[in-house]
């Protein structure tokens, strides 16, 4: 299983490490370049100083060099080297070259008053860097106007070892590498600490969830301590989920109690009827109706169980739907005709207003037949005997809308209206009727949801209610 904490730590470590490596690499390159430039500048300074020691006199060109002021060109083990040429002849060599009679520093043709740098191997075998310059010696002002006087340009090569420079660069690179490693280690430690502390509120929420009991009325997920923008939405949604779970739990308890209540009554009737018949087997008043009474009670129990099974089937997403082209007007007429055995005045009471441009729609016949049967039966039963029930069929670009509105025997309370589609819920005035079980509207709502219909209802007047089913066009 992946860990969000580990992923955050690793991601932050990789990102910061990459940034640090680029920064340290840029610093290292900058330092190396700066050291190389400073080394070349130092080499240039030495070369320029040696050039100033070249003097032009009436007797010729002289090189006024004092070794005691520049001991690095002496005979030390870490000596530097220089060599002067005038024309093709060697004009001067540093004392350090006296140990290498056959050694010559590099010399290269180039434009006058120019210079080049080159990495070389020194006469003593060390690695070094040399500056070769081609210049004209400075002529004193007293000799510049002498006719026919010219000074031949000279070459000067100065070579210095780069071993100390290499050691410095190695020290710098090593220091930067060690510093980078230490920074990465410290950064990793800081990231672990910061993320661990940052996830404390989430861990506290997780610990709170472990102690949640959905049977309690109060769920301790809301705290007045520090709140965080990232955690608070999760906390709020969890509270909503817990409240919904409590509602579902209460609904399940109520349904269980209602099912027991609905089944207890016919079972009690069967037991009482059987006990009386056993005690008085010769009583013709009991024996004459006993079989029919048992059958009627059993059929009531069968109706309850069948409706419960139908409700469970309607709540299942695996309900099989067979959609086909269906004439809605014809289906409405068939449902009205099927309910005629229960309501003899149904044809007079049912008023169908058909505004369909095309009465054929793609729908599951069983689902729509079941919805219409329950809505018509509900409207006829819970309205005054001679009142009118209006069925309206309309269509638009989005689909077909079926609505059923009827007058109420008694006005419904707001809380009763909200609970109409709860399974086995019945208004108090209807609980005495053994033929009604409070499952019809619950079945309608679930069947509509499975089919993708939009089912809604509400009061259109204080004593009149309207149920609407919208059937969207098939994609």
């Amino acid at each position: 299983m992946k860990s969000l904490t580990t992923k955050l730590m690793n991601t932050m470590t990789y990102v910061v490490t990459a940034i640090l490596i680029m920064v340290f690499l840029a610093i290292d390159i900058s330092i190396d370049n700066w050291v190389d430039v400073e080394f070349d500048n130092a080499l240039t300074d030495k070369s320029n100083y040696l050039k100033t020691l070249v003097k032009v006199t009436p007797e010729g060109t002289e090189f006024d060099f004092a070794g005691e002021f520049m001991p690095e060109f002496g005979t030390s083990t870490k000596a530097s080297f220089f060599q002067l040429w005038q024309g093709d002849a060697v004009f001067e060599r540093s004392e350090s070259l006296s140990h290498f009679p056959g050694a010559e520093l590099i010399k290269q043709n180039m434009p006058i008053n120019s210079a080049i740098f080159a990495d070389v191997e020194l006469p003593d075998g060390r690695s070094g860097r040399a500056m070769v310059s081609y210049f004209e010696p400075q002529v004193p002002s007293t000799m510049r106007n002498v006719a026919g006087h010219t000074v031949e340009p000279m070459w000067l090569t100065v070579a210095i070892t780069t071993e100390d420079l290499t050691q410095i660069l190695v020290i710098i690179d090593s220091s930067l590498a060690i510093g980078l490693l230490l920074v990465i280690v410290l950064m990793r430690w800081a990231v672990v600490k910061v993320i661990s502390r940052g996830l404390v509120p989430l861990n506290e929420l997780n610990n709170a969830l472990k102690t949640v009991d959905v049977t309690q009325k109060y769920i301790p997920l809301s705290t007045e301590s520090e709140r965080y923008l990232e955690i608070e939405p999760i906390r709020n949604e969890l509270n909503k989920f817990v409240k919904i779970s409590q509602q579902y739990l209460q609904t399940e308890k109520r349904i269980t109690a209602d099912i027991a209540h609905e089944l207890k009554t016919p079972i009690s009737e069967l037991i009482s009827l059987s006990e009386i018949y056993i005690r008085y087997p010769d009583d013709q008043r009991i024996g004459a109706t006993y079989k029919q009474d048992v059958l009627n009670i059993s059929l009531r129990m069968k109706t309850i169980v069948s409706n419960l099974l139908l409700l469970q089937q309607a709540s299942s997403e695996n309900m099989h739907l067979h959609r086909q082209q269906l004439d809605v007007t014809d289906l409405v007429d068939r449902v009205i005709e099927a309910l005629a055995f229960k309501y003899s005045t149904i044809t007079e009471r049912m008023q169908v207003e058909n505004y369909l441009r095309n009465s054929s729609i793609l729908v599951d016949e069983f689902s729509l037949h079941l919805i219409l049967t329950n809505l018509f039966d509900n409207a006829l039963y819970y309205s005054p005997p001679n009142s009118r029930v209006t069925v309206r069929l309309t269509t638009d670009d989005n689909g077909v809308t079926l609505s059923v509105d009827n007058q109420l025997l008694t006005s419904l309370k707001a809380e009763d209206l909200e609970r109409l589609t709860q399974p086995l819920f019945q208004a108090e005035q209807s609980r005495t009727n053994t033929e009604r079980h409070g499952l019809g509207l619950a079945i309608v709502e679930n069947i509509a949801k499975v089919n993708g219909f939009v089912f809604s209802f509400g009061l259109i007047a204080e004593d009149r209610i309207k149920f609407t089913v919208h059937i969207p066009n098939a994609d």
Side-chain angles (χ1 to χ4, degrees), residues 20 79 102 116 122 189 194 238 243 366 421 449:
L20 288 175
I116 61 171
L122 301 181
W189 175 82
V194 170
L238 286 173
K243 290 179 181 178
F366 171 77
T421 56
K449 186 180 298 183

Side-chain angles (χ1 to χ4, degrees), residues 56 61 86 136-139 149-154:
V56 177
T61 304
Q86 191 168 36
E136 289 182 338
Q138 293 294 320
V139 179
H149 182 81
T150 59
V151 179
E152 187 175 4
M154 302 182 71

Side-chain angles (χ1 to χ4, degrees), residues 49-74:
Y49 177 73
L50 292 175
K51 290 177 185 179
T52 62
L53 299 179
V54 178
K55 298 180 179 179
V56 177
T57 63
E59 289 78 18
T61 304
E62 296 179 356
F63 184 63
D64 189 9
F65 176 76
E68 62 270 18
F69 297 112
M70 302 187 73
E72 65 270 21
F73 292 108

Side-chain angles (χ1 to χ4, degrees), residues 179-195:
L180 176 62
L181 182 61
L182 290 176
V183 170
I184 291 175
V185 172
L186 292 175
M187 179 271 301
R188 174 69 179 186
W189 175 82
V191 166
V192 172
K193 291 295 183 181
V194 170
I195 292 180

Side-chain angles (χ1 to χ4, degrees), residues 39 71-82 94-97 99-100 105 118-130 158-167:
F39 185 85
E72 65 270 21
F73 292 108
T75 57
S76 65
T77 55
K78 295 184 178 181
S80 300
F81 304 89
F82 73 82
S94 63
E95 185 181 358
S96 55
L97 284 174
H99 297 289
F100 310 99
L105 298 182
D119 293 323
V120 297
E121 182 180 349
L122 301 181
D124 57 4
R126 295 175 296 164
S127 58
R129 188 166 176 81
V158 180
I160 303 176
T161 180
T162 57
E163 289 183 350
D164 293 341
L165 176 64
T166 302
Q167 291 179 0

